């Protein structure tokens, strides 16, 4: 029985209890929400090193994912291990291994063996690339795709992106629409190449039952990918994107019925004013399934800063109901990220997720902020640093300013807090706590 | 006659024409909006080096300000000049000299002489600090405050922050409310110290007519400061803050009547879910005057990253109607910013402003994003780099990845765009342009 089937039959498993305790919510709420498909706990029993379970979905802390992995142009297992460690140290909730270069099996197995957080993959990458190296992607067989999926599930992958909504119908709608950037999803592009060349339907859609069977067997969570996500602001919220979402909504329902946990993936590039409607739409169409967004990036012109542009969109998406933010790094649109980029990407995406949690009223989200405000009032620097999202950086910045005493070099002796502390009596504050 | 009086009498000045042309709007719209007080053009005729005028307000591109200036703990005119140059090079629309250390007159005059963009100051800093050094802030005379204001106006300051809303009434309301962080505005704190000690009203409120007279004489734009802005999320949107806003609304109306251009300053620290209501409130209460926000910071726990936390809040505030974003730097809450911090702060705040402009439909805001999307489709890297908000950084990142050819190290030969370009026919796209 899968976790979802157990939830459906009324069983509260130890995974549900762990998540409930961590989130400060009732374990019956977790069970019920998993059964309804609005919360998932990605968890493959074969992932032995998994220590930190994440519940993803409504009412829970907004989660952060870090993508790592090699490419055909840059392949170093050592570097990917460093990235994994950096991502976990920086506080990511999950990682995805998106390797497309080198020994993909070996890299994935090493990452799974080492990762204390859930690991996701995009199996179509491996299937397509192994064919690309031999006979060409267009000659990839349906069986091979499912064999790779099963192999990865067997290795202990906790969740998998599968672009099941890239169908002949949704591609037609996208082409009728007309786009500046057509398709920017790598998995989507592989499938489109195969489908157009072979004049066939997407096997992940056509044989969705076969996919569900594998997912069920290993209790892998499916992350229904958005292969037709907009790759620029001008393409956002168009008929191609929405057609794919409609299809994903139907597939989410089928997965739920089969006891398979499902996440829905979303854009991409999108102006701020379209984010709220997109979150609402996905939630409504997909039965409230956890919504996993990449960004969204709120402008196209910020390469080198796309982690920030994505954090703006992510904070908003999270506030309006997205449950899970995929990080972006400063390298997005320019190159494969470095170890430092990974670290920076995780921290900044955690800021976005935290800001969203405060705004949507996630239980306990404001606690640290209130403690920080109190530490500031007392000019208690050690406390301020320890409460910081990145204590090392905060400490380094303060140290570099060469200040001693309880002020900082911004205001020095003309510190507003210090002045007002003298003139206002303390201890009778009516502090509002959210 | 001030610019506002001229606008009121139907005159379209060359400053209005310049701004209209730059913004792609009608010059009659600019004139009318200045007359109504919903757009300002900060411009002091004595600022001879001013080359780049900025119109700030409804329907115009969201503007960015960079704060520079010495402190008592870190004083170097050379460094402040470097910061000024870095801020202008990074594309700031205005700068504020907030110096509180060293020879304040000399620093301000040097900055004004060198700055091609409007320069703002907070005159109460100089008045209070000069007294702090001699007899103590509490002995500062009312006349001295106004003398400093006039001196700075005479030097060519284009706009001034004046904390006129820190009144005995608003302080009482703030204390009745109770706050964690009371007052974090330096100007607000100086005034509160003086007012409580002397049991007197704020001279900037009591003698507001005298302030208006100076502003009129030199045609200085007043930026009505928010001395009671929340310094942490828990203090946001409380009775102290709103009381001050109500007072500022009355003062804005009086300024408009006297032909003095006015900006309203706003928070500060604020959860995402309160930003929309705050922008609407300020705009309604203050007759639609341009709204200038510091952040808002959407969490308190990100020292070292507060430029990003502020960009999240700023993008949202801008989308909901704020007109002018004060940057934050990575040093906020930790130290006086470095030259690099200034540069980073300006770029990131420009991203927030740009994302807001796209979302609120500012004329032409999407043009560069569409060009970028087209360059991406063509894998045209030179074009992508030249369209980037920071071409130097984009070029450096790409170069460091050691890639040659038209791909990047993220996907290498498995580039989605490249694959799809082969399989989709081009040239019949129905491209939507906002």
């Amino acid at each position: 029985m899968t976790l979802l089937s157990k939830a459906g039959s009324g069983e509260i498993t130890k995974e549900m209890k762990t998540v409930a305790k961590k989130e400060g919510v009732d374990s019956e709420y977790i069970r019920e929400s998993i059964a309804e498909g609005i919360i998932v706990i990605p968890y493959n029993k074969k992932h032995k090193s998994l220590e930190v379970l994440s519940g993803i979905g409504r009412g829970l802390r907004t989660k952060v994912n870090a993508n790592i992995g090699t490419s055909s142009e840059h392949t170093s297992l050592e570097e990917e291990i460093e990235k994994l460690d950096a991502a976990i140290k920086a506080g990511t909730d999950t990682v995805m291994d998106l390797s497309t270069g080198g020994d993909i099996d070996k890299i994935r197995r090493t990452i799974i063996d080492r990762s204390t957080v859930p690991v996701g993959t995009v199996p179509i990458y491996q299937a397509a690339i192994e064919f690309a190296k031999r006979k060409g992607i267009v000659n990839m067989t349906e069986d091979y795709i499912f064999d790779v999926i099963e192999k990865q599930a067997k290795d202990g992958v906790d969740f998998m992106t599968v672009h099941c909504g890239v169908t002949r119908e949704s591609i037609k709608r996208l082409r009728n629409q007309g786009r500046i950037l057509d398709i920017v999803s790598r998995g989507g592009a592989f499938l489109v190449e195969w489908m157009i060349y072979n004049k066939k339907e997407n096997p992940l859609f056509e044989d969705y039952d076969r996919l569900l069977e594998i997912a069920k067997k290993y209790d892998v969570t499916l992350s229904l990918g958005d292969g037709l996500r907009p790759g620029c602001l001008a393409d956002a919220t168009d008929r191609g994107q929405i057609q794919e979402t409609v299809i994903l909504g139907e597939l989410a329902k089928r997965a739920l019925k089969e006891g398979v946990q499902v996440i829905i993936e979303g854009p991409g590039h999108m102006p701020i004013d379209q984010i709220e409607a997109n979150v609402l739409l996905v939630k409504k169409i997909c039965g409230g399934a956890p919504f996993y967004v990449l960004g969204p990036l709120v402008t196209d012109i910020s390469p080198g800063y796309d982690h920030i542009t994505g954090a703006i969109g992510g904070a908003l998406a999270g506030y309006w109901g997205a449950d899970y933010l995929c990080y972006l790094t400063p390298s997005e649109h320019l190159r494969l990220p470095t170890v430092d980029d990974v670290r920076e990407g995780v921290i900044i995406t955690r800021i976005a997720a935290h800001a969203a949690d405060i705004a949507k009223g996630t239980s306990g989200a404001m606690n640290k902020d209130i403690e920080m405000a109190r530490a500031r009032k007392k000019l208690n620097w050690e406390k301020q640093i320890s409460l910081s999202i990145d204590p090392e950086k905060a400490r380094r910045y303060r140290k570099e300013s060469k200040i001693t005493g309880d002020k900082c070099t911004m205001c020095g002796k003309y510190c507003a807090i210090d002045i007002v502390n003298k003139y206002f009596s303390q201890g009778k504050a009516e502090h509002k706590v959210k």
Side-chain angles (χ1 to χ4, degrees), chain A:
Chain A
M1 266 176 103
T2 63
L3 196 78
L4 174 48
S5 316
K6 288 178 188 165
S9 69
E11 185 185 342
I12 296 177
T13 67
K14 68 173 194 302
E15 293 80 18
M16 298 176 204
K17 283 181 196 156
T18 304
V19 165
K21 199 175 162 193
K22 224 170 80 176
E23 300 275 346
V25 299
D26 196 68
S27 50
E28 173 57 18
Y29 170 73
I30 299 287
R31 185 205 62 74
E32 200 176 78
S33 302
I34 290 176
E36 279 179 42
I38 63 175
I39 283 178
V40 299
I41 304 179
Y43 168 48
N44 183 333
K45 284 199 185 67
K46 294 184 175 292
H47 182 185
K48 299 298 178 196
S49 58
L50 181 58
E51 284 171 19
V52 191
L53 286 175
S54 264
I56 303 169
R58 195 187 300 162
L60 307 184
R61 184 173 60 73
T62 304
K63 301 302 184 295
V64 168
N65 174 70
N67 288 338
I68 58 172
T70 59
S71 79
S72 60
E73 310 297 312
H74 192 101
T75 304
S76 157
L77 177 56
E78 293 64 41
E79 214 175 305
E80 296 313 320
I81 290 172
E82 273 184 73
K83 288 183 196 172
L84 172 68
D85 293 349
I88 292 174
K89 193 178 168 216
T92 196
D93 295 295
T94 65
V95 293
M96 289 189 79
D97 169 25
L98 305 188
S99 290
T100 56
D103 184 343
I104 296 177
D105 281 331
K106 186 179 168 195
I107 298 166
R108 180 181 60 256
R109 286 166 187 156
T110 308
I111 287 173
I112 292 172
D113 278 354
R114 192 177 179 92
S115 179
T116 52
V117 300
V119 174
T121 56
V122 189
I124 195 71
Y125 289 178
Q126 184 174 19
I129 281 157
E130 289 182 351
F131 264 86
K133 284 182 185 163
R134 295 179 289 159
K135 308 173 189 170
I137 291 174
V138 296
N139 296 307
M140 177 171 64
T141 63
E142 284 98 323
D143 280 343
Y144 195 75
I145 296 175
F146 289 102
D147 288 348
V148 167
I149 291 172
E150 182 144 14
K151 174 171 65 177
Q152 296 199 1
K154 215 181 248 176
D155 282 346
V157 168
D158 302 287
F159 63 105
M160 287 178 183
T161 294
V162 277
H163 303 89
C164 307
V166 179
T167 65
R168 299 192 70 81
E169 188 186 4
S170 59
I171 295 171
K172 191 182 114 194
R173 297 245 186 276
L174 182 136
R175 300 185 75 175
N176 285 347
Q177 169 80 64
R179 272 190 171 182
I180 294 183
L181 259 169
D182 294 321
I183 293 174
V184 295
S185 152
R186 202 156 41 171
F190 290 149
L191 287 164
V192 162
E193 175 173 6
W194 187 92
M195 289 161 70
I196 292 183
Y197 184 89
N198 294 296
K199 299 191 176 63
K200 279 190 174 178
E201 185 50 279
N202 176 355
L204 297 172
F205 175 77
E206 189 108 301
D207 297 330
Y208 186 61
D209 287 330
R210 190 169 170 187
L211 179 61
L212 289 180
E213 248 173 69
I214 301 171
K216 224 160 120 172
K217 185 170 165 192
Y218 298 92
D219 204 356
V220 170
T221 299
L222 296 183
S223 190
L224 297 178
D226 53 338
L228 306 188
R229 68 173 173 271
C232 62
L233 300 192
D235 291 345
T237 325
D238 71 353
R239 297 186 295 273
Q241 181 202 323
I242 303 307
Q243 180 64 66
E244 182 182 42
T245 306
V246 169
I247 294 168
L248 295 185
E250 291 187 355
L251 298 177
K253 193 176 168 189
R254 284 169 62 188
L256 187 65
K257 217 172 138 190
E258 292 301 316
V260 172
Q261 299 191 109
V262 161
I263 293 165
I264 308 292
E265 295 186 14
H269 292 242
M270 180 161 289
I272 289 175
D273 58 308
Q274 295 176 25
I275 297 174
E276 184 174 14
N278 269 270
V279 175
L280 185 133
L281 187 90
V282 166
K283 284 279 181 176
K284 286 295 287 181
I285 285 185
C286 302
F291 188 27
Y292 179 21
V293 288
L294 175 60
L297 291 152
V298 296
T299 164
D300 298 332
I301 63 164
S302 58
Y305 300 87
D306 280 338
H307 54 320
I308 294 164
T309 305
I312 294 173
L316 272 176
Y319 165 47
W320 281 316
D323 308 286
Y324 188 20
L325 310 182
C326 187
Y327 86 168
L328 288 142
T329 77
S331 281
E332 186 71 24
H333 294 109
L334 292 169
R335 66 181 190 196
L336 204 68
T338 64
V339 175
D340 280 345
D341 289 338
V342 165
R343 198 180 159 286
E344 190 84 354
V346 170
I347 298 269
I348 284 162
T349 312
R350 281 183 58 211
I351 291 172
H354 179 65
D357 283 333
I358 289 168
K360 64 184 169 187
T362 305
S363 158
M366 273 282 284
N367 297 352
K368 264 195 153 185
D369 294 69
I370 289 167
E371 276 193 78
M372 176 65 93
R374 292 193 172 128
R376 285 195 169 131
K377 184 67 178 169
K378 291 180 186 151
L379 298 170
N380 181 340
W381 288 94
E382 271 312 309
K383 186 91 183 168
Q384 287 179 56
I385 287 168
S386 74
L387 288 165
S388 296
I389 197 145
D390 183 358
E392 279 174 35
K393 187 173 182 183
R395 188 179 304 283
R396 190 174 75 242
Y397 271 52
R398 183 163 163 82
K399 206 173 163 189
E400 282 171 5
S401 78
K402 301 191 179 75
I403 190 98
T404 53
D406 65 353
K407 309 297 189 307
C408 81
T409 52
M410 176 72 95
C411 301
K413 57 188 159 194
Y414 308 115
C415 168
I417 293 171
D418 192 46
I419 291 172
V420 174
N421 281 348
K422 273 186 229 145
Y423 283 88
F424 276 19
S425 60
Q426 297 304 303
K428 42 177 186 172
E430 170 204 324
H431 293 148
K432 302 153 311 161
V433 174
K434 190 163 179 176

